[in-house]
Amino acid sequence: MTTSELWGRAEADRYDGEETEMSSAAVLGPTVDFLAELAGDGRALEFAVGTGRVAVPLRERGVPVAGIEFSEHMLAVLRRKADEETLPVVVGDMATATVPGEFALVYLVYNTISNLLTQDEQVECFRNAARHLRPGGRFVIELGVPPLRMLPPGQVAVPFDVSAGHLGFDTFDLVEQILVSHHLTRDGEDGRYRRDASRHRYAWPAELDLMARIAGLALERRVADWDGSPFTQDAAKHISVWRKPE
């Protein structure tokens, strides 16, 4: 039984509408370029494929893509864009569910590994990726760097968005490595705000490298964004690539 929180119908139905920036050509272009190059002439598998924000354009690029998705409601939205034959998906959690065949690429984008709320489950996610990879295949994760340097002594909250239609801040449990992402979103024209919150387990890049080693994978590359910009101590996120030995 996974600790991931299950996305319901309401969250699924509004997901694409609230992620227009992440679905823009400016974001998806470099993302798909990066992933397509790694996949080469092989198959790709997306863990937590969601509504197909990345999988659908990657498939349109000519890369055969399959997915694993925990929420049937998110999958229902994806099915409005691509049928099962075009983009097959197994319903299950990314730490244990399996898809037939071997893959040149397994990938997990937009902080989604943090939906697994225990270290053990995150390790199993790496192991599951390794099981699906062919020799020489790659596992790619996009994940934010925990912004703990922004926490003054005694403070447990960090704002990440203050705009006209949205207020967002994260609160941290520094012992359990759990952050709660809080959102106040303007909902409609009457000035009301909708409040949502989701839990995540944050992990440092070095911790992920150890998880990869446990799964038999080795770090090949780490960059700050899909455009290949260098990863530095000031980077807000990282794109990490681990390789399965041949």
Side-chain angles (χ1 to χ4, degrees):
M1 190 69 180
T2 180
T3 56
S4 292
E5 296 176 349
L6 183 62
W7 288 51
R9 185 186 303 274
E11 292 90 350
D13 285 345
R14 63 175 178 253
Y15 181 82
D16 285 348
E18 293 184 346
E19 295 295 343
T20 54
E21 180 180 352
M22 294 300 295
S23 300
S24 67
V27 172
L28 283 180
T31 304
V32 171
D33 288 345
F34 192 105
L35 296 173
E37 181 179 357
L38 289 179
D41 60 358
R43 302 167 69 209
L45 172 62
E46 181 171 353
F47 284 180
V49 66
T51 66
R53 179 183 67 88
V54 173
V56 170
L58 184 60
R59 180 67 183 86
E60 292 172 348
R61 179 68 66 86
V63 177
V65 181
I68 293 173
E69 175 53 44
F70 189 45
S71 169
E72 294 188 33
H73 298 295
M74 296 288 278
L75 177 56
V77 177
L78 186 154
R79 284 289 167 252
R80 302 170 194 165
K81 310 170 186 177
D83 60 24
E84 175 69 17
E85 183 177 355
T86 302
L87 209 165
V89 175
V90 170
V91 176
D93 76 88
M94 55 190 157
T96 61
T98 57
V99 177
E102 287 188 326
F103 295 83
L105 173 68
V106 178
Y107 66 94
L108 230 181
V109 298
Y110 204 17
N111 302 321
T112 312
I113 194 171
S114 69
N115 291 355
L116 297 170
L117 299 179
T118 70
Q119 186 183 69
D120 286 344
E121 285 183 328
Q122 291 180 352
V123 169
E124 288 306 312
C125 182
F126 272 82
R127 284 177 166 157
N128 199 26
R131 282 193 292 269
H132 284 90
L133 286 172
R134 70 187 187 189
R138 275 95 168 186
F139 182 35
V140 175
I141 283 181
E142 175 188 23
L143 185 62
V145 177
L148 300 189
R149 289 194 301 171
M150 298 177 65
L151 283 175
Q155 182 173 313
V156 296
V158 172
F160 59 85
D161 184 32
V162 179
S163 58
H166 179 255
L167 301 174
F169 60 94
D170 293 330
T171 55
F172 292 84
D173 180 334
L174 301 180
V175 174
E176 299 296 332
Q177 287 185 216
I178 296 292
L179 72 83
V180 181
S181 187
H182 304 265
H183 301 267
L184 291 170
T185 307
R186 189 182 295 275
D187 198 2
E189 300 298 326
D190 58 2
R192 295 184 181 181
Y193 280 79
R194 184 183 72 252
R195 181 174 181 177
D196 300 293
S198 58
R199 293 187 300 154
H200 306 269
R201 182 184 187 272
Y202 64 84
W204 299 98
E207 185 181 4
L208 298 179
D209 290 343
L210 184 55
M211 293 181 188
R213 185 181 301 179
I214 291 170
L217 307 175
L219 181 67
E220 181 176 73
R221 184 184 183 196
R222 174 168 289 131
V223 293
D225 211 339
W226 297 105
D227 61 6
S229 52
F231 179 74
T232 70
Q233 65 179 2
D234 297 318
K237 72 174 185 179
H238 61 96
I239 314 297
S240 295
V241 182
W242 298 273
R243 189 169 183 269
K244 184 174 182 175
E246 297 192 41

